[in-house]
């Protein structure tokens, strides 16, 4: 174990502080916390800020230079310093959307040189915004049963079918999409992972209202959408393997301990600033106990992440330790939001517009949204199936004939 | 950054694992526990040969001069095998108290014999660490102690004690000191000993004053109990998964039922991050001392909660078999139960964590 800040890290912290001092005014005013309340505005401000962060290596830090990243060695202390300092300065961090956090690592692992050259640089700069076309009305947890079809036509595929729950499809430039291209192959071997522009003729996007009141996901319909076969990532019929690589990154993103820490600090502030009968809620031992319980959990998740990164660096394979992160992290975030709401009491149920509204209504929005993330990206139950069957080696569910 | 064990630490773990898999079979544990001994002399001798008793004692005094992280690694293995030997008090808290609060003479008089395992020392700090029950407490005046200390760790069979008084001072007391009475207390856990001490003008040798020493001794004890619980919890999960793979009902292994799988997945998920919490708590003592008390509080209180969940869930996976004495799973269940109560229940420890952070007066 060695967690000491070295001289190098002290200097780095100074550098980040200096950067923030000089550039803070360029950061989009919207705090990272309340972005879910409004449709994401990815034009202008955000794009400039994101580009600046990429240039300085404060986001996409380890993406190779050749593809437009900063090309740094992974260093979790530095990542942590960036997160801490941005948080302390109340400045929005680099984006962590589906393109940046899921597609880019997948392309690095499975993409052709041409695909990497073409997509990674504009994606990390937020010049291309992506959506993830996996789920279908009849293929949710059982994703491999998806039916959207791609039929070969010369050098192209002609795609027909429907996706659902596609987050951000209404604002996305591109989609990474799972399509059945080999109808005669077994379920898991007939799928291809294909990327294409959302303005390709034959695509229709219908936003779906969500429980938060903000339409964040959509139905996406494909009618004779023509896409070059060259847009397949990782080889024809190999989409299941590629998709799982994306899912692995998605699960890491969804369980991100920095996000939990961010929430925890905000809950702590709430406990100190909100009062009941004239006393700060922090003086109430029951609320304090709930807070410290969650604080211990957040601490456990942060330290666990450090252990996982150390293990990965030593070439120890991904195992049980990685599999539990999505399940635990998403549940933890939901609990933190719930505590925030409870601290606020009746004020905590105000929504939309009210002079008493706290943080723009984000506590309720996040409480709902984080429940969505317990479901999305593989539900909690599916995570437990994975943990028990793959992590603990327990017997598989007997297969139902024909499923 | 390196958040992992060094090769040397892994070696320590492996050598304890190796010895214990040979020595601490359930039958041996059972024999010792049923005899009410809470100490298996053969295991004790072999583990002392591996340096267990002197882990935290400096090389000058015949110990290995290692840190709390090494001790936590060992504690995890002891918990995994519910090993009936004194450790948390005799090999961690007592040496630490003397190291931090003792003068040269005291160190010379106590540490070398503790390091080779010939002197076992119990620790009486329960009133400071967990609060006083039944108005217990010890007062120190003019070099003598009076009063009662409850739940003295590793107390049975100890030849000496480190005792906290009501004012936060620590004292060394020989077991044969005049005016000292020792009463064994039976707990659910027969793999470790706990006792009550009664003092009546008992001569004692004070350690250097200072809240800091007592604080560190308690914090170190908390980390070690958490490590013990982690090992015990992991073993209970392992047994549950094994059993679920073998036991058949409705024509299939019960481990293929999702309800059973999900119980195991939940145990595994809760246990996984505990390791990092324990390691960091131990690491903090030497390397991030300003964080030590808080890190120890998080480790203790969180692992206590996870321990309770795992103890009941793993038992449940075993059905009626889990409830039997024959299966022996109850040794782990009880060890976890005791670790939770010692040196501060989770509620108490979380309250301290709040105070440490200035959240409460
Ligand atoms: C906020 C949000 C954003 C999303 N964004 C996207 C996106 O951008 N792109 C995309 O492709 N998809 C997206 N999804 C879809 C998401 O991946 C699916 O909702 C999810 O995989 C579950 O599928 P389903 O909704 O069909 O539920 P179902 O699969 O029908 O599940 C319903 C219930 O049954 C349980 N269940 C199902 N199978 C099993 C089993 N084998 N064992 C035990 N329990 C089981 C589930 O755990 C769940 O509780 C999003 C979902 C949400 C909520």
């Amino acid at each position: 174990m060695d967690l000491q800040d070295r001289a190098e890290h002290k200097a780095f912290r100074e550098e980040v502080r200096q950067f923030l001092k000089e550039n803070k005014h360029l950061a989009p005013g919207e705090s990272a916390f309340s972005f879910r309340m409004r449709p994401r505005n990815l034009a202008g401000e955000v794009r400039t800020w994101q580009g600046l962060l990429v240039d300085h290596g404060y986001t996409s830090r380890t993406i190779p230079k050749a593809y437009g990243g900063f090309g740094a060695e992974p260093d979790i202390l530095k990542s942590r310093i960036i997160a801490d300092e941005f948080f302390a300065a109340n400045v929005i961090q680099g984006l962590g959307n589906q393109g940046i956090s899921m597609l880019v690592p997948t392309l690095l692992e499975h993409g052709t040189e041409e695909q990497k050259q073409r997509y990674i640089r504009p994606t990390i700069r937020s010049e291309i915004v992506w959506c993830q076309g996996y789920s279908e009305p009849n293929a949710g947890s059982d994703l491999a049963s998806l039916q959207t079809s791609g039929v070969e036509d010369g050098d192209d595929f002609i795609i027909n079918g429907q996706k659902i729950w596609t987050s951000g499809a209404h604002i996305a430039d591109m989609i990474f999409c799972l399509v059945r291209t080999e109808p005669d192959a077994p379920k898991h071997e007939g799928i291809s992972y294909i990327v294409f522009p959302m303005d390709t003729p034959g695509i229709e996007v219908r936003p779906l209202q969500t429980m938060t009141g903000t339409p964040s996901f959509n139905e996406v319909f494909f009618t004779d959408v023509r896409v070059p076969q060259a847009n397949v990532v990782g080889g024809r019929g190999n989409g299941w393997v590629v998709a799982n690589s994306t899912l692995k990154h998605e699960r890491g993103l969804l369980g991100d301990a920095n996000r939990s820490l961010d929430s925890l600090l905000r809950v702590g502030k709430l406990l100190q600033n909100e009062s009941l009968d004239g006393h700060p809620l922090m003086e109430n031992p029951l609320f304090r106990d709930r807070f410290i319980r969650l604080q211990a959990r957040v601490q456990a998740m942060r330290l666990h992440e450090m252990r996982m990164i150390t293990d990965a660096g030593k070439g120890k394979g991904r195992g049980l330790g990685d599999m539990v992160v999505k399940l635990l992290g998403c549940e933890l975030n939901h609990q933190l939001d719930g505590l925030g709401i409870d601290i606020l009491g009746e004020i905590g149920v105000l929504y939309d517009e009210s002079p008493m509204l706290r943080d723009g209504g984000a506590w309720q929005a996040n409480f709902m949204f984080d429940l969505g993330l317990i479901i999305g990206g593989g539900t909690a139950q599916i995570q437990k199936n994975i943990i028990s069957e793959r992590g603990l080696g327990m017997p598989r569910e007997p297969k139902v004939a024909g499923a | 950054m390196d958040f992992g064990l060094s090769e040397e630490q892994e070696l320590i773990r492996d050598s304890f694992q190796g010895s214990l898999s040979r020595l601490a079979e359930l039958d041996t544990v059972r024999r010792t526990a049923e005899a009410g001994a809470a100490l298996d002399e053969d295991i004790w001798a072999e583990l002392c040969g591996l340096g267990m008793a002197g882990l935290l004692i400096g090389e000058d005094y015949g110990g290995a001069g290692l840190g709390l992280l090494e001790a936590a690694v060992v504690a995890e293995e002891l918990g995994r095998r519910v090993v009936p030997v004194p450790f948390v008090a005799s090999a961690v808290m007592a040496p630490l108290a003397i190291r931090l609060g003792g003068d040269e003479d005291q160190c010379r008089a106590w540490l070398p014999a503790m390091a080779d395992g010939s002197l076992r020392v119990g620790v009486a700090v329960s009133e400071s660490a967990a609060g006083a029950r039944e108005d217990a407490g010890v007062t120190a005046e003019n070099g003598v102690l009076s009063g009662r200390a409850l739940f003295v760790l590793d107390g049975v069979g100890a030849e000496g004690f480190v005792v906290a008084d009501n004012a936060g001072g620590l004292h060394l007391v020989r077991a044969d000191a005049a005016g000292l009475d020792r009463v064994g207390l039976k707990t659910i856990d027969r793999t470790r000993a706990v006792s009550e001490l009664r003092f009546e003008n008992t001569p004692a040798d004070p350690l250097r004053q200072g809240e800091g020493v007592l604080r560190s001794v308690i914090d170190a004890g908390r980390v070690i109990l958490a490590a013990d619980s982690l090992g015990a919890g992991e073993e209970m999960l392992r047994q549950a998964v094994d059993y679920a793979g073998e036991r058949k009902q409705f024509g299939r292994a019960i481990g293929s039922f999702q309800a059973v799988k999900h119980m195991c997945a939940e145990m595994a998920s809760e246990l996984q991050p505990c390791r990092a919490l324990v390691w960091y708590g131990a690491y903090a003592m030497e390397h991030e001392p300003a964080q030590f008390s808080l890190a120890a509080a998080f480790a203790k209180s969180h692992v206590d909660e996870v321990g309770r969940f795992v103890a009941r869930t793993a038992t449940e996976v075993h059905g009626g078999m889990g409830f039997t004495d024959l299966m022996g799973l109850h040794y782990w269940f009880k060890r976890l139960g005791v670790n939770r109560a010692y040196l501060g229940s989770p509620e108490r420890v979380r309250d301290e964590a709040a105070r440490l952070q200035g959240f409460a007066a």
Side-chain angles (χ1 to χ4, degrees):
Chain A
M1 293 264 283
D2 179 10
L3 311 176
Q4 303 302 305
D5 256 8
R6 310 221 166 282
E8 182 196 347
H9 292 110
K10 297 206 175 89
F12 184 70
R13 192 180 291 280
E14 268 323 299
E15 179 198 314
V16 178
R17 283 194 185 149
Q18 193 59 31
F19 168 85
L20 286 168
K21 206 154 90 196
E22 284 164 17
N23 297 289
K24 192 175 170 171
H25 63 284
L26 297 173
E30 206 85 314
S31 89
F33 192 51
S34 57
F35 78 97
R36 289 173 188 151
M37 294 299 292
R38 296 165 190 87
R40 272 173 279 184
N41 167 19
L42 288 168
E45 273 191 300
V46 171
R47 198 173 292 170
T48 311
W49 181 241
Q50 180 74 11
L52 195 62
L53 297 188
V54 173
D55 291 339
H56 285 80
Y58 298 147
T59 192
S60 301
R61 203 178 153 71
T62 56
I63 305 294
K65 275 211 164 78
Y67 309 129
F70 191 73
E73 288 292 310
D75 180 336
I76 188 166
L77 277 190
K78 287 191 178 165
S79 313
R80 186 124 285 152
I81 288 168
I82 296 169
D84 289 350
E85 293 301 323
F86 275 61
F87 183 84
N90 200 16
V91 168
I92 186 170
Q93 279 198 56
L95 297 168
N97 58 29
Q98 298 186 319
I100 293 170
S101 305
M102 289 153 59
L103 174 81
V104 167
T106 304
L107 282 181
L108 285 171
E109 198 171 329
H110 298 282
T112 62
E113 188 56 31
E114 205 255 319
Q115 288 167 338
K116 293 182 204 174
Q117 289 291 351
R118 184 154 168 203
Y119 296 122
I120 294 178
R121 181 186 308 268
T123 301
I124 60 179
R125 292 182 167 268
S126 196
E127 289 158 16
I128 302 181
V129 173
W130 293 80
C131 61
Q132 176 190 33
Y134 281 16
S135 305
E136 297 179 5
N138 291 317
S141 296
D142 184 12
L143 183 59
S145 66
L146 61 93
Q147 290 304 328
T148 293
S149 70
V151 176
E152 196 172 338
D153 183 42
D155 288 341
D156 300 331
F157 283 122
I158 309 293
I159 298 174
N160 280 285
Q162 184 200 341
K163 297 290 171 183
I164 195 166
W165 324 129
T166 323
S167 299
H170 55 301
I171 52 167
D173 307 301
M174 299 274 299
I175 185 169
F176 51 96
C177 193
L178 295 182
V179 178
R180 188 162 300 282
T181 53
E182 330 296 317
D184 301 327
K187 185 168 159 182
H188 293 86
E189 289 158 33
I191 299 167
S192 295
Y193 185 108
I194 311 181
V195 297
F196 48 95
M198 285 300 282
D199 60 4
T200 313
I203 302 181
E204 188 197 345
V205 176
R206 291 188 205 151
L208 285 166
Q209 186 58 276
T210 71
M211 69 189 289
T212 67
T214 308
S216 60
F217 55 30
N218 306 269
E219 292 178 288
V220 181
F221 297 87
F222 304 114
T223 313
D224 295 332
V225 178
R226 179 174 288 275
V227 176
Q229 288 199 30
N231 290 19
V232 171
V233 175
R236 242 181 104 155
N238 199 30
W240 187 249
V241 173
V242 183
N244 273 304
S245 152
T246 308
L247 280 174
K248 182 176 75 186
H249 297 297
E250 175 170 28
R251 288 168 187 163
L253 166 71
L254 294 178
D256 180 12
N258 273 328
R259 161 68 219 293
S260 307
L261 178 64
D262 194 85
S263 281
L264 178 85
L265 294 172
R266 286 172 200 280
V267 174
K269 277 191 195 152
L270 217 52
L271 266 178
Q272 283 170 317
N273 296 338
E274 295 294 330
S275 64
L276 188 63
D277 297 332
H279 297 283
L281 266 302
M282 192 60 108
E283 286 177 14
N284 180 318
L286 298 177
F287 277 107
R288 222 161 51 212
D289 190 69
R290 275 179 74 185
F291 178 70
I292 303 285
R293 258 175 195 258
L294 293 177
Q295 196 183 23
R297 282 191 171 271
V298 172
Q299 173 82 342
M301 293 309 287
R302 293 185 76 197
L303 297 170
H304 179 69
E305 188 180 53
M306 292 164 89
R307 178 161 84 87
M308 289 302 101
I309 290 171
T310 299
D311 278 2
K314 288 180 184 167
K316 297 187 184 162
R318 299 173 73 87
L320 202 49
D322 292 295
M323 293 177 192
V324 304
V325 169
K326 195 261 169 184
L327 178 69
L328 292 173
C330 289
E331 180 61 34
L332 178 55
N333 290 339
H334 187 62
Q335 300 275 335
L336 283 163
D337 305 328
L339 177 54
I341 287 170
D342 293 350
I343 290 167
L344 290 168
E346 296 91 329
I347 287 180
V349 297
L350 297 175
Y351 210 49
D352 282 339
E353 266 152 50
S354 158
M356 286 188 287
L357 197 64
R358 304 294 200 263
D359 297 307
W363 291 101
Q364 283 292 350
N366 282 342
F367 184 63
M368 292 185 254
F369 196 86
D370 285 332
L371 175 55
L373 297 186
I374 289 173
I375 299 166
T379 68
Q381 288 67 39
I382 295 299
Q383 301 307 313
K384 289 178 199 173
N385 291 349
I386 293 172
I387 292 163
S388 53
E389 291 178 2
R390 289 187 223 154
L392 298 172
M394 296 184 78
R396 298 240 162 190
E397 201 78 1
K399 287 259 181 286
V400 175
Chain B
M1 183 207 71
D2 180 1
F3 199 103
L5 298 182
S6 65
E7 271 175 34
E8 197 198 358
Q9 288 157 344
E10 286 183 349
L11 224 82
I12 293 174
R13 182 193 59 202
D14 295 347
S15 64
F16 274 84
Q17 257 176 14
S19 285
L20 290 171
S21 66
R22 205 162 26 76
L23 289 165
E25 296 274 6
L26 182 58
D27 284 348
T28 314
V29 171
R30 186 190 292 282
R31 219 179 312 117
T32 310
E34 284 177 356
L39 168 66
D40 183 292
E41 292 287 357
D42 294 342
I43 302 182
W44 173 257
E46 171 138 354
L47 296 185
C48 286
L50 289 177
M52 179 181 76
L55 270 180
L56 290 186
I57 295 173
E59 290 176 30
D60 292 357
Y61 300 108
L66 295 170
L68 195 60
L69 184 53
E70 285 82 3
V73 167
V74 171
E76 189 185 326
E77 298 315 317
L78 296 176
R80 195 184 307 284
R81 296 252 166 200
V82 288
V83 183
V85 293
F87 184 73
V88 60
S90 78
V92 177
M93 298 171 76
L96 201 60
I98 298 171
R99 215 176 82 187
L100 296 175
D103 59 26
E104 183 56 30
D105 287 346
Q106 289 166 324
C107 288
R108 289 239 164 275
W110 291 72
L111 293 178
M114 289 166 72
D116 67 21
S118 57
L119 171 62
R120 285 192 290 262
V121 177
V123 171
V125 297
S126 177
E127 285 70 33
S128 308
R133 296 281 168 175
E134 305 215 323
D135 295 326
V138 176
T139 52
E141 233 172 322
N142 307 324
V144 296
L145 303 180
S146 299
R148 269 166 97 201
L150 295 178
F151 313 117
V152 179
L153 298 172
D154 296 346
V156 180
E159 290 97 38
F161 298 97
V162 172
V163 180
D165 65 38
N166 287 342
L170 287 169
H171 308 264
L172 295 169
V173 179
R174 294 279 173 186
D176 57 8
L180 175 62
D181 222 6
R182 167 174 27 186
V183 184
L185 297 174
K186 289 211 160 89
T187 74
I188 47 169
D189 173 25
R190 297 297 161 84
T191 64
R192 286 167 308 168
V194 56
S195 54
E196 172 182 344
L197 294 181
R198 295 182 189 151
F199 302 91
E200 214 183 305
N201 295 320
T202 310
D205 184 10
L207 290 169
R208 219 183 349 252
Q209 285 292 336
E211 265 286 305
V213 178
L214 177 57
R215 179 81 259 163
S216 296
V217 167
I218 293 171
D219 292 338
R222 286 178 176 170
V223 170
I224 293 305
L225 290 181
D228 190 274
S229 289
L230 171 61
E234 290 214 318
E235 173 62 15
M236 287 193 92
L237 168 63
R238 189 194 66 75
Q239 291 192 31
V241 169
D242 272 10
Y243 186 78
E246 285 159 18
R247 167 78 175 162
K248 288 203 170 64
Q249 285 291 279
F250 300 98
R252 37 195 274 217
I254 57 166
S256 69
F257 294 116
Q258 211 171 47
V260 173
K261 268 199 276 218
H262 284 196
M263 285 198 272
C264 293
E266 283 165 14
M267 289 191 272
S269 304
E270 290 294 334
L271 282 165
Q272 273 293 322
C274 288
R275 160 144 309 122
L277 213 49
V278 168
W279 282 358
Y280 178 71
Y283 171 85
M285 183 172 94
E286 282 111 12
H287 302 281
E288 297 191 359
Q291 296 299 318
F292 181 39
S293 291
L294 189 59
F298 285 150
K300 173 73 165 72
S301 60
H302 184 67
V303 179
D304 282 346
E305 302 290 9
V306 172
R308 172 163 285 182
F309 170 69
V310 171
R312 73 64 54 94
T313 309
T315 304
E316 207 177 338
V317 167
H318 284 79
M321 190 57 95
F323 198 69
T324 61
D325 174 48
L326 179 74
M327 182 80 206
L329 203 63
H330 65 89
Y331 285 107
W332 283 265
F333 184 99
K334 292 168 181 171
R335 186 126 167 164
L336 285 163
V338 159
N339 287 349
R340 178 181 169 104
Y342 283 169
L343 300 180
S345 66
E347 289 75 16
R348 159 101 186 187
V349 174
R350 282 195 293 268
D351 190 49
E352 277 180 36
R355 285 165 210 285
L356 282 166
Q357 298 177 88
F359 296 154

